[in-house]
Every structure is written in structure tokens, then in C-alpha cells.
Amino acid sequence: MKILAMDASGLVASVAVTEDDRLIGEYTTNDKKTHSQTLLPMLDQLAGMIDLDLKTLDAIAVTSGPGSFTGLRIGAATVKGLGQALDIPLIPVPTLETLAYNCWGTDRLICPLMDARRKQAYTGLYQSADRGLTVLMDQAAMSIEAILERVNDRKRPVVFLGDGVPVFRQTIEGLCRVDYHFAPLHMAVQRASSLAALAYVYAKKGEFVAAEDFRPNYLRLSQAERERREKLAAEKRGSDVPRRRDP
């Protein structure tokens, strides 16, 4: 099965092409450019380097969220357009599982961290399993203190990875009470090759989605939507305050 994998869920943009258990090509950047500027040009350059005919693809793998709202939307629009144009299905894979898969094979607890702003991280807890991962805690948005409490409760050595590590490193060093490591740079960020490899595992289970039906899982509201709801709630509270009547 030939899979095109595209990840725009975080700071990194990554594109890869695999066929069964073989990585044919991968292109990853981490330079903070808008993914709308990089994703399709990266695919075009990679396709040229490996002589890829897009019509030979069997499926497109995509990180389904959580992550950057803008990045997820760009990634979703890109893969939906390609999937519909090529008439092939998508293989959505949870973002944190994809990131955790970088550390497949370790006997440590795997704790990916993506900076979710507002002093929170997107995270989950995983352990390596035969050709895949066992989910010990579903991906969620929570404070780093809450994450570390769950890690400490497991009483197992752990490896942290993801763009949230530099943000929360000091807190981890102060509060983590189990043996911990930080993943080295080649394993620390999203890689489309990991997405493609895990998507191949999903594909063998028949977990495909029609391109037109794919929707990212944001896990929480965007900042604009949160602010809108907070404003509406404040206005409602103000309207509920009894008005003073003049004697």
C-alpha cells in the first residue's frame, strides 16, 4: 500500500511517502513558516525527487488533532482536496499517538507534549506494543501539573517529547518524581514517516475515512470562540443584574 502522509498539526510541517514497510521519501521543516506556504510546495519537491505519480497513491494519512487550530485546518483542507481529486480515502491518526510513535520500542512510558497555550499542553500516555501503541491515557488538554501527577502515579520511567518540552521543561524538572528522559532532537518533533507507519497499522484494520467526511478533532474551542463565549456570558451576567429602581 502506497501512503502519502501529511502533518501540519504543530510547529513542524512534514510530508512523507511510504509503500508497505518502506520509507520512500520524507521532507520535514521546523522554521515557523505558515503551513499554507510550505505544505504543497514540500509535496511538490518531494514528488519530484522520488518521481512520484500521485495517481499511484492508495491513501493519504493525516494527523486528526489536536494541535494548532490553523495548522489542523490547513492540513485538513489540503488532504481533503487531494483525496477528493485522486478519489482515494484518508487515514486519520490522532496527533499525540503519531508523536508518541517516534519512540516506539522503548520500555519507558511515552508522554508527548504539545504546547496548547493558556498554560496547558495537549498530551496522552502511551506504551509501545506489537507494531503499534497501547493508549494508557487518551489525548487531552490539561495543565502540566496535572500531567505530571498522572505520570508520577504510574511509577515508571518516562520519556517526554514534543514542542511542549522546551515550554514546560523547568516544571518537569521540578515536579517529576520518576526517572525521566527528554527525547533527542530526531525523535522530539512530529515526523510524517511516523504518521505513515502508524497509518499503515490503522489501514490493516480497515480504518479509512472518505475525504469529504474528514473533520479534525480540536479537543477544545479556538481562542476566538472561547473569547466570544466569554463575552456573551459576561453580557448575560450583566443583563441578569436587577436594575435599581428610583424611589
Side-chain angles (χ1 to χ4, degrees), residues 13-15 27-29 37-47:
S14 189
V15 179
Y27 189 166
T28 300
T29 62
Q37 298 176 294
T38 59
L39 209 57
L40 284 175
M42 287 168 63
L43 172 59
D44 186 58
Q45 289 185 48
L46 180 62

Side-chain angles (χ1 to χ4, degrees), residues 226-236:
R226 288 196 304 269
E227 290 174 352
R228 187 184 75 84
R229 293 195 178 191
E230 288 168 2
K231 181 180 178 182
L232 290 174
E235 290 173 352
K236 185 177 186 304

Side-chain angles (χ1 to χ4, degrees), residues 26-216:
E26 182 175 27
Y27 189 166
T28 300
T29 62
N30 188 17
D31 59 3
K32 298 184 180 179
K33 287 185 179 177
T34 304
H35 294 326
S36 59
Q37 298 176 294
T38 59
L39 209 57
L40 284 175
M42 287 168 63
L43 172 59
D44 186 58
Q45 289 185 48
L46 180 62
M49 292 175 67
I50 62 176
D51 295 322
L52 173 68
D53 180 354
L54 294 179
K55 293 179 181 178
T56 64
L57 294 171
D58 296 300
I60 303 174
V62 58
T63 41
S64 60
S68 156
F69 285 86
T70 302
L72 287 174
R73 290 188 182 112
I74 292 169
T78 302
V79 299
K80 283 166 71 76
L82 286 170
Q84 288 177 288
L86 298 169
D87 193 25
I88 56 176
L90 306 185
I91 310 171
V93 182
T95 304
L96 277 302
E97 284 189 36
T98 297
L99 187 51
Y101 203 57
N102 286 0
C103 293
W104 184 86
T106 182
D107 57 358
R108 288 176 171 265
L109 192 65
I110 306 170
C111 183
L113 298 169
M114 293 179 67
D115 185 15
R117 312 291 183 182
R118 297 169 72 100
K119 299 181 179 180
Q120 287 193 323
Y122 295 122
T123 189
L125 292 177
Y126 306 88
Q127 69 180 20
S128 202
D130 182 32
R131 301 291 292 178
L133 294 169
T134 298
V135 179
L136 302 177
M137 185 186 85
D138 284 329
Q139 54 185 22
M142 60 178 67
S143 70
I144 188 64
E145 291 82 6
I147 298 165
L148 291 172
E149 183 178 342
R150 285 159 176 75
V151 168
N152 290 332
D153 286 345
R154 293 275 173 178
K155 296 181 172 60
R156 289 179 53 188
V158 61
V159 55
F160 295 101
L161 70 159
D163 63 40
V165 168
V167 178
F168 300 110
R169 185 171 186 137
Q170 237 180 346
T171 306
I172 293 170
E173 291 172 341
L175 297 181
C176 192
R177 298 192 301 273
V178 298
D179 181 49
Y180 64 88
H181 285 169
F182 298 116
L185 64 88
H186 67 289
M187 300 168 70
V189 297
Q190 283 95 331
R191 294 191 59 179
S193 54
S194 288
L195 168 60
L198 193 51
Y200 187 44
V201 176
Y202 273 54
K204 289 179 177 179
K205 300 175 184 177
E207 298 186 21
F208 299 95
V209 172
E212 60 269 22
D213 294 333
F214 173 65
R215 299 290 183 277

